[in-house]
Amino acid sequence: MKKSVVSFLTMVMVMTLLSVAPVSAQSKYTGGLLDGVQLNVGSAVGTLGKTSTKMTDNNESTEENKGNGVVWHSFATPQEISAVIINGSSNQTVEFYDASQNLLSSYTKINSQTGVQSLETPVKDVSMVVLRGSGPYVVEWNVFGKPSTAPSATRIDWIQAGDKVVSLDWTHVGAKSYDVKRSTSSGGPYSTIIASDVTGTTYTDNTVSNGTTYYYIVVAKNEAGGTSSPERFIKPTATKYTGGLLDGITLSIGSNVGEPQRKSKKMTDNDESSEENKGNGAVWHTFETPQEISAVIINGSSNQTVEFYDASQNLLSSYTKINSQTGVQSLETPVKDVSMVVLRGSGPYVVEWNVFGKPSTAPSATRIDWIQAGDKAVSLDWTHVGAKSYDVRRGTSSGGPYSTLVASDVKGLTFIDTTVNNDTMYYYVVVAKNEAGRTESPEAPIKPTATKYTGGLLDMLPIKVGTKYGEVKSTNKKFTDNNIGSEGNLGGGMGWYNFNSPKEISSVIFNGSAGMVMEFYDNNDNLLYTHKVSLNDKVETLPSPVKNVHTVMIRGMWVREWNVFGKSELPPTEAPMNLTATAGDAQVTLNWDSVKGATKYNVKRATTAGGAYTTVASVDGTKTSYIDKGLTNGTTYYYVVTAVGQAGESTNSNEAIATPKAGVVEPEPKPEPTPDPDPNQGKDMGDRAILTLTLDNGTEKEYDLSMTEVNAFLTWYDARAEGKGKLTFAFDKHDNNRGPFKKRKEYIKFDSIYNFEVNGYETGAGNEGTEQPQPQPEPTPIPEEELH
């Protein structure tokens, strides 16, 4: 009997246990308002097609196919909902309705996330929740008064470091907020909370030190707790790309400015291992307030140009980067009131880009491309690296010290040092400078020497080369570098040099291939004399001096050295006298006596007594004063002035000294001398003129212009000498047009003009430039049989 009772009780207990529903473990899907609830499924809310518990059974192995319909549930009493969870197809949206079926709010899930996602603001008085979406499958769905589990872990998608700064972006996982933590050890402890309760997905840490490696995590939080991301590490560093106005900025990219197709941080992340392909489009950024920009840096494909616009989208200026350089490059003049910067160019790739109010690093080092020595003279050319200016220094020992400052604040790329002694070895460096510092080039050694090739009128001058006179294909310094180890090839063409003033030539020297011919022309290109070279590598005296020579020419093949000897037919230009310098606030006012026949004056400055002096300005010959601005108060400056006339440049004036100081009354320049009135002034110039420009690199440009055009040039030149007007002058090339052009202009920078000469003539066609320039006679060619 007892055995039967025990068996029965055992069977009842087993049956009782089997009849109890299984208890599911706590998970991210449980603890909500839909736990185990039977949900309604239909084509529309209220149109029941079926019911299902697969979406609320806390079991990821079951799913419900709602097709294109909806899922809904009505609560017995209104609820407040602050979070949801949806595991299933993408594009799912939860809608919240009140008792009157009014839509209170909606939330679209973050597709890549299956954890609990907090609503931006809790929704009150919810009587019904509805799940919609084009995705048909639902694995699990729940809504929470308060989330029962922490959100999914986020990840740091982007991290970049600059100068004492680190920027992070992370993935949004539906957390209520995020904390950013930092450590100096991999794996933590992450004891430094640098930002708490961040509601966005990006943060910039400005509390770091350069050169230290930092390890970051981001903690995703809600009311139930927090989860940490994997760590990312980085080392903030100041480089040539940092310290600008685009540090860490997200830039816009598109075919048309103002119509962004995408955005990128790769061009401003201080990381040369990342690059952006902008294709044929543009990259741009708009500043919140107008900026003044003085320098740029671009690392990437060639042919990149930065454009600067004001708030009205007017183009203020543009700058095309020096293709071979990736360092900071100074603009010729700072651009003010810049509201937007745009990067364009045929080169598609951009590694790094920035613009600077003031450059934060020194420019890249230049290199001396060309060095040649003559009689007590050394000439140097160097590579342009976008420096604001250059210093030339020299020493007498390899490796320095380069204690002699030969020239300071040179704007060009060439300099001739005439303060050397023959037969002494000198070692030169060129220092590239900007507001942030200076970098030194590798040294270049040279020994100046007087030889049979020096002491002539062509010493170290660049020779123009072409197949037709006046059409320059190249320039060559090898012909006149006092070095028979270097040679140039005329290729059967010709090389020539145009003097600024008439010369008398008495002898010549040539070293090169046989059969060379020299020709001498006057100012009208009339052939004065032809000389066939008979003594190679020896000075040849001409039968009689050739006077009034303006052009010397050589025809043939190879040239190692070439020079002509003689003298100027004009007396030397007198040096200015009585130079005075009066200090002001960050400026010095200079005055001097006029020089008869001077076409211009060169103002030269040094920071040591006796030089070396650097030309800082050229002043029109009608003026005898100049204000040198932008100086450093407390620094002593030493000045000389030279006059330039038909016979060339004079020797230096007396040296004047001044030390600018703050708070002093600015002196006024003395009145310019009033020239004696000349009733015939301009009448003997004619209605046209040949304007010849000599540039600071030795190149000469010649323009046949109306006197109206010449006067326009002179007016512009005077204004620029006083720091006013445009930086460039446009010359209309008139009959020099070739091809299908309607008009063609050539632009010359003021700072590149060394001197110029105006030679007027009469055509009888008036002074308005409507008459086409008369063709100039070309040098008379030598008959071919005479060349052999």
Side-chain angles (χ1 to χ4, degrees):
M1 182 67 180
K2 289 181 179 179
K3 184 176 181 181
S4 299
V5 172
V6 171
S7 299
F8 175 77
L9 291 174
T10 301
M11 182 177 67
V12 170
M13 292 176 64
V14 170
M15 292 178 68
T16 301
L17 290 172
L18 290 174
S19 66
V20 176
V23 178
S24 300
Q26 177 77 15
S27 76
K28 61 184 178 182
Y29 302 117
T30 61
L33 301 175
L34 300 181
D35 283 7
V37 168
Q38 183 171 272
L39 301 177
N40 300 309
V41 182
S43 58
V45 175
T47 304
L48 182 63
K50 60 180 177 178
T51 60
S52 173
T53 58
K54 291 181 179 179
M55 295 172 280
T56 57
D57 62 358
N58 192 26
N59 183 359
E60 290 183 331
S61 66
T62 64
E63 64 182 10
E64 184 64 65
N65 185 352
K66 66 178 181 61
N68 294 322
V70 296
V71 181
W72 72 93
H73 176 71
S74 297
F75 300 110
T77 58
Q79 303 290 326
E80 178 176 318
I81 298 175
S82 67
V84 304
I85 191 168
I86 308 168
N87 184 346
S89 302
S90 299
N91 305 319
Q92 303 284 352
T93 297
V94 182
E95 298 174 343
F96 307 97
Y97 291 86
D98 65 13
S100 300
Q101 300 294 298
N102 296 311
L103 178 64
L104 301 172
S105 183
S106 65
Y107 176 82
T108 301
K109 83 152 189 162
I110 304 168
N111 285 333
S112 60
Q113 304 299 322
T114 59
V116 173
Q117 300 175 31
S118 294
L119 307 181
E120 185 173 342
T121 303
V123 185
K124 298 180 179 181
D125 298 323
V126 178
S127 291
M128 181 175 65
V129 288
V130 178
L131 182 64
R132 300 180 187 273
S134 58
Y137 293 101
V138 182
V139 178
E140 286 294 313
W141 175 36
N142 214 334
V143 297
F144 303 88
K146 286 188 178 179
S148 57
T149 59
S152 299
T154 185
R155 68 176 185 274
I156 299 173
D157 298 316
W158 176 267
I159 189 167
Q160 62 182 13
D163 181 14
K164 298 179 182 178
V165 64
V166 172
S167 180
L168 306 95
D169 293 354
W170 56 86
T171 302
H172 184 36
V173 293
K176 186 175 183 180
S177 64
Y178 302 89
D179 289 351
V180 182
K181 296 185 176 183
R182 185 184 77 203
S183 176
T184 53
S185 301
S186 179
Y190 305 102
S191 54
T192 303
I193 300 178
I194 59 172
S196 61
D197 298 326
V198 178
T199 54
T201 56
T202 185
Y203 186 77
T204 298
D205 182 7
N206 295 303
T207 64
V208 294
S209 300
N210 288 341
T212 299
T213 299
Y214 294 94
Y215 301 83
Y216 289 85
I217 61 170
V218 176
V219 181
K221 303 189 306 178
N222 62 19
E223 294 88 339
T227 53
S228 298
S229 71
E231 74 176 11
R232 292 283 300 269
F233 66 91
I234 202 157
K235 181 189 293 185
T237 307
T239 72
K240 60 186 178 182
Y241 302 117
T242 61
L245 301 173
L246 301 181
D247 282 6
I249 293 291
T250 301
L251 301 176
S252 299
I253 305 172
S255 300
N256 299 309
V257 175
E259 300 176 5
Q261 295 167 323
R262 57 193 174 93
K263 294 180 179 291
S264 175
K265 289 186 177 181
K266 292 181 179 179
M267 295 170 280
T268 58
D269 63 357
N270 192 31
D271 181 4
E272 290 183 329
S273 66
S274 66
E275 65 181 13
E276 184 63 64
N277 184 351
K278 67 178 181 60
N280 293 323
V283 181
W284 67 91
H285 177 71
T286 302
F287 300 110
E288 292 183 0
T289 57
Q291 304 290 328
E292 178 174 322
I293 297 175
S294 68
V296 304
I297 190 169
I298 308 168
N299 184 347
S301 302
S302 299
N303 306 319
Q304 304 282 354
T305 297
V306 183
E307 298 173 342
F308 307 95
Y309 292 86
D310 64 14
S312 300
Q313 301 295 297
N314 297 311
L315 178 63
L316 301 173
S317 182
S318 65
Y319 176 83
T320 300
K321 84 152 186 161
I322 306 166
N323 284 334
S324 60
Q325 304 300 323
T326 59
V328 173
Q329 300 175 28
S330 294
L331 307 181
E332 185 173 341
T333 303
V335 185
K336 297 181 179 181
D337 298 321
V338 178
S339 289
M340 182 173 65
V341 288
V342 179
L343 182 65
R344 301 181 190 270
S346 58
Y349 291 102
V350 182
V351 177
E352 287 294 311
W353 175 37
N354 215 333
V355 298
F356 303 86
K358 286 188 177 179
S360 57
T361 58
S364 299
T366 185
R367 68 176 185 274
I368 298 173
D369 296 319
W370 176 264
I371 188 167
Q372 62 185 57
D375 181 13
K376 297 181 181 179
V378 172
S379 177
L380 307 95
D381 294 354
W382 55 88
T383 301
H384 186 31
V385 294
K388 187 175 183 180
S389 64
Y390 302 89
D391 289 351
V392 181
R393 307 188 72 94
R394 73 167 190 247
T396 53
S397 300
S398 180
Y402 309 104
S403 53
T404 302
L405 178 61
V406 178
S408 62
D409 298 324
V410 179
K411 299 293 186 181
L413 303 173
T414 186
F415 186 79
I416 298 178
D417 181 8
T418 57
T419 64
V420 293
N421 297 318
N422 286 342
D423 302 318
T424 298
M425 182 65 78
Y426 294 97
Y427 300 86
Y428 286 84
V429 295
V430 176
V431 182
K433 303 190 305 180
N434 64 17
E435 295 89 337
R438 55 189 63 204
T439 52
E440 197 173 89
S441 74
E443 72 176 14
I446 198 88
K447 181 189 290 186
T449 306
T451 70
K452 57 189 172 184
Y453 302 113
T454 62
L457 300 174
L458 299 180
D459 281 4
M460 296 188 292
L461 292 176
I463 304 302
K464 300 172 184 176
V465 178
T467 56
K468 184 178 180 181
Y469 176 68
E471 296 181 1
V472 181
K473 291 191 174 181
S474 64
T475 58
N476 198 311
K477 291 187 176 182
K478 294 180 179 180
F479 301 163
T480 58
D481 64 356
N482 194 29
N483 179 12
I484 60 173
S486 65
E487 63 182 12
N489 186 2
L490 292 174
M494 61 190 73
W496 68 92
Y497 186 82
N498 306 108
F499 298 113
N500 294 328
S501 60
K503 309 297 181 185
E504 179 181 299
I505 298 175
S506 58
S507 59
V508 300
I509 191 170
F510 172 79
N511 186 332
S513 56
M516 303 297 285
V517 173
M518 295 184 202
E519 299 170 352
F520 306 90
Y521 295 86
D522 65 13
N523 192 42
N524 295 317
D525 292 336
N526 296 312
L527 180 64
L528 301 172
Y529 179 70
T530 299
H531 172 75
K532 294 181 180 179
V533 176
S534 58
L535 297 176
N536 191 58
D537 197 30
K538 290 184 179 180
V539 175
E540 295 181 276
T541 301
L542 302 180
S544 60
V546 183
K547 297 183 178 182
N548 199 30
V549 177
H550 275 262
T551 300
V552 288
M553 183 180 293
I554 191 165
R555 299 176 185 263
M557 294 295 293
W558 291 97
V559 182
R560 296 187 187 93
E561 284 299 308
W562 175 38
N563 214 334
V564 298
F565 303 90
K567 62 183 181 180
S568 174
E569 296 188 11
L570 298 175
T573 305
E574 295 180 2
M577 299 180 66
N578 300 320
L579 174 66
T580 62
T582 306
D585 186 357
Q587 67 181 38
V588 170
T589 300
L590 303 170
N591 290 285
W592 60 90
D593 291 347
S594 63
V595 173
K596 185 177 180 179
T599 58
K600 66 185 284 189
Y601 297 97
N602 290 328
V603 179
K604 303 182 180 183
R605 183 182 70 206
T607 52
T608 56
Y613 302 104
T614 298
T615 301
V616 295
S618 293
V619 180
D620 184 80
T622 62
K623 303 181 182 301
T624 57
S625 64
Y626 177 74
I627 300 177
D628 191 16
K629 299 181 179 180
L631 303 177
T632 302
N633 287 333
T635 298
T636 300
Y637 295 94
Y638 302 83
Y639 292 90
V640 294
V641 175
T642 61
V644 178
Q646 275 193 302
E649 188 175 15
S650 72
T651 57
N652 292 339
S653 68
N654 61 290
E655 185 179 70
I657 307 169
T659 305
K661 294 181 181 179
V664 301
V665 177
E666 307 297 354
E668 294 292 334
K670 71 181 182 182
E672 302 294 349
T674 303
D676 294 331
D678 182 359
N680 295 315
Q681 184 176 9
K683 291 185 178 180
D684 58 350
M685 286 293 291
D687 56 15
R688 297 192 68 82
I690 301 296
L691 173 63
T692 304
L693 303 182
T694 301
L695 306 184
D696 56 9
N697 62 4
T699 301
E700 288 193 1
K701 299 270 187 184
E702 193 174 272
Y703 304 94
D704 190 341
L705 305 172
S706 70
M707 286 308 299
T708 299
E709 292 172 304
V710 172
N711 289 329
F713 167 78
L714 296 175
T715 300
W716 167 80
Y717 189 92
D718 289 346
R720 276 311 309 161
E722 296 178 354
K724 302 175 183 177
K726 296 182 179 180
L727 295 175
T728 59
F729 187 85
F731 287 96
D732 194 325
K733 303 191 79 172
H734 295 298
D735 254 7
N736 292 323
N737 285 337
R738 293 293 182 266
F741 309 114
K742 292 184 177 179
K743 184 177 282 271
R744 191 164 62 130
K745 293 187 177 182
E746 183 170 12
Y747 294 83
I748 300 294
K749 291 183 178 180
F750 174 81
D751 289 342
S752 68
I753 301 174
Y754 180 72
N755 59 30
F756 62 87
E757 178 180 332
V758 179
N759 294 289
Y761 67 94
E762 186 70 56
T763 67
N767 193 32
E768 299 306 318
T770 56
E771 184 79 5
Q772 296 296 332
Q774 298 301 312
Q776 297 297 307
E778 293 191 2
T780 305
I782 299 296
E784 185 176 352
E785 60 271 14
E786 292 186 21
L787 293 174
H788 300 284

